[in-house]
Amino acid sequence: MTQTGAGTPKKAGAQCPSLGPDPVAAAAQRRARTEAWRTDALTRQPGGRDRDDALQRNANAADGRVLHAMAPFSQRRSYATDPGDVADSGKPWHGCSGTLKAMRSDLPAGTPRLRIAVLDDYQGIAETVDWSTIPRPVTLLAIREHISSDAELAVRLADCEVVVAMRERTPIGAGLLARLPALKLLMTTGAFNAAIDVAAAHRLGVTVCGTDGTIAPTVELTWALIHALQRHLIVEDTALRAGRWQQTVGADLAGATLGLVGLGRIGRRVAAVGRAYGMRVIAWSPHLTPERAAAAQVELVSRRTLFETADVVSLHLVLSDSTRRLVGRMELAAMKPSAILINTSRGGLVDEDALIDALRTAGIRGAGLDVYDREPLPADHPLTALRNTVLTPHLGYVTENCMNIFYRDIVDGIAGYCLGEPRRLINP
């Protein structure tokens, strides 16, 4: 390991080749060009400059450089449509159905091109991001479908120096890493990623870096699932569209008991909302202390008491060997028939077969799930046939603000790698 800057560790070989004689001036030119194009685009769109305040400027805290400016994703267009960009003719890269774009750059002649792949880009966000502050010309491969085969991934990513993993959508283990000789930087959204073999990456000389994030979207989705089940929103929406009026009677939250399995950052925020509704809030986790529970104004109870007592059980634990299948047949059997189970953490916390049985036999009233043992969830999965579930496709973190943070730090992290100053390093 060598040192750079203010003690920041830099891995030998984990930096880009020479950037040319004056990379600072070139970067300034690129930023000016991008801003001019963006301003012109604003004046040509409905609302003109009134939309200026819809753009969020994300600055690198270290040097104040503007990384990119993001409008709401629904209103953005691909930077590859900038007239100065050179777009690929559509020819697949290694047979990939993802989009391959060569992004415009005013860097010195001969600056080597940086091939970046973004995995599981379901919403097509990567093409709307401004990558031009990266001090090398970028060729972007945005893969919008999920690829579960290591063999196929190895082919598609063979020429990529940088791979961006979107949360834990795709496992990246030692076997796959060994088949990617060009890979030098593995970026993940979030500060850690249980689906990446970080130790194997380090052994192979691959730098692993993360991003910041926000927990608010997961808290919000937790309550969306609770509301949908308590007030039968899916049933009533479907009935209304079929011409039927008022089919169900909702369950109250005020006066009910909210049971939190896990009282970390997300659990505490969920608890605060529950208290605002007038709920009794109880909690349990393997390492929860009375002091931490009291600080969150939550009542610490035993594991069995929580499942027996709660009207709403919500899971907020990290998945590990000790928490895998923590909610099994015994816990589900202990729950009230009128109770609901919410899981926005990880699918592996629950014995999925036991949950399906409990839902089929009305052992519990319903389940709101955002996470599953297998993702993406197959269309013919038994959960999709149950009417007492509300299912979402792992949307806990998929919001405008969270994606802005992710891509701000992805671009910043790749720029840091190119300058020999990796940022937000993840170590084994």
Side-chain angles (χ1 to χ4, degrees), residues 30 33 72 84 89 92 157 163 180 199 225 227-228 237 249 261 267-268 276 304 309 324 342 380 399 410 415 424:
R30 291 197 309 279
R33 178 207 73 221
S89 63
L157 305 178
V163 170
L180 300 176
L225 292 172
H227 288 306
D237 177 86
V249 176
V261 180
R268 290 194 298 272
R304 182 168 184 84
T309 307
R324 191 175 299 277
I342 306 295
D380 60 352
T399 67
I410 288 168
R424 293 172 292 275

Side-chain angles (χ1 to χ4, degrees), residues 225-227 229-230 253 310-314 335-342 364-368:
L225 292 172
I226 292 171
H227 288 306
L229 283 165
Q230 292 293 86
L253 292 174
D311 299 293
V312 178
V313 175
S314 189
M335 291 175 65
K336 301 176 182 178
S338 59
I340 62 173
L341 178 71
I342 306 295
I364 62 174
R365 183 165 60 82

Side-chain angles (χ1 to χ4, degrees), residues 259-271 281-288 292 298 306 313-318 326 345 349:
L260 300 175
V261 180
L263 197 64
R265 293 188 305 150
I266 294 175
R268 290 194 298 272
R269 288 205 189 183
V270 173
V281 184
I282 61 177
W284 171 86
S285 76
H287 306 293
L288 181 60
R292 285 176 51 212
V298 169
L306 185 142
V313 175
S314 189
L315 309 183
H316 303 287
L317 287 174
V318 174
L326 184 143
S345 280
L349 295 172

Side-chain angles (χ1 to χ4, degrees), residues 303 307 315 323-335 341 348-355 358 364:
R303 177 173 171 178
F307 283 95
L315 309 183
T323 61
R324 191 175 299 277
R325 304 290 184 270
L326 184 143
V327 180
R329 294 187 184 277
M330 183 173 68
E331 288 74 22
L332 292 165
M335 291 175 65
L341 178 71
L349 295 172
V350 180
D351 181 335
E352 207 166 79
D353 290 337
L355 175 60
I364 62 174

Side-chain angles (χ1 to χ4, degrees), residues 87-306:
D88 187 82
S89 63
K91 179 182 177 181
W93 185 8
H94 285 301
C96 179
S97 60
T99 304
L100 175 63
K101 298 288 185 183
M103 313 302 283
R104 184 174 100 182
S105 177
D106 297 333
L107 290 166
T111 303
R113 184 164 290 281
L114 184 66
R115 291 178 177 259
I116 301 173
V118 179
L119 301 177
D120 300 291
D121 182 28
Y122 301 146
Q123 294 88 355
I125 296 171
E127 286 187 33
T128 74
V129 172
D130 181 8
W131 303 87
S132 68
T133 55
I134 294 172
R136 274 174 65 182
V138 169
T139 297
L140 176 67
L141 175 64
I143 301 177
R144 297 194 59 173
E145 77 276 19
H146 178 72
I147 303 172
S148 57
S149 164
D150 277 6
E152 185 176 357
L153 280 169
V155 171
R156 295 194 180 194
L157 305 178
D159 297 333
C160 295
E161 187 174 339
V162 179
V163 170
V164 178
M166 189 58 60
R167 293 305 302 128
E168 297 169 5
R169 293 173 178 174
T170 295
I172 302 176
L176 175 59
L177 289 165
R179 300 168 72 175
L180 300 176
L183 182 63
K184 295 291 182 283
L185 174 66
L186 181 54
M187 289 288 310
T188 177
T189 51
F192 66 95
N193 188 324
I196 293 175
D197 190 334
V198 177
H202 278 252
R203 288 195 302 271
L204 292 166
V206 177
T207 299
V208 184
C209 295
T211 71
D212 287 336
T214 175
I215 63 173
T218 303
V219 175
E220 294 165 4
L221 184 65
T222 296
W223 282 102
L225 292 172
I226 292 171
H227 288 306
L229 283 165
Q230 292 293 86
R231 300 303 295 270
H232 310 289
L233 297 185
I234 306 300
V235 172
E236 291 291 1
D237 177 86
T238 302
L240 184 61
R241 295 172 190 275
R244 300 190 298 275
W245 189 260
Q246 286 200 15
Q247 303 296 301
T248 65
V249 176
D252 295 288
L253 292 174
T257 298
L258 171 64
L260 300 175
V261 180
L263 197 64
R265 293 188 305 150
I266 294 175
R268 290 194 298 272
R269 288 205 189 183
V270 173
V273 176
R275 292 198 311 274
Y277 278 132
M279 301 181 77
R280 175 195 177 202
V281 184
I282 61 177
W284 171 86
S285 76
H287 306 293
L288 181 60
T289 64
E291 293 76 18
R292 285 176 51 212
Q297 302 179 52
V298 169
E299 180 184 347
L300 174 60
V301 298
S302 70
R303 177 173 171 178
R304 182 168 184 84
T305 297
L306 185 142

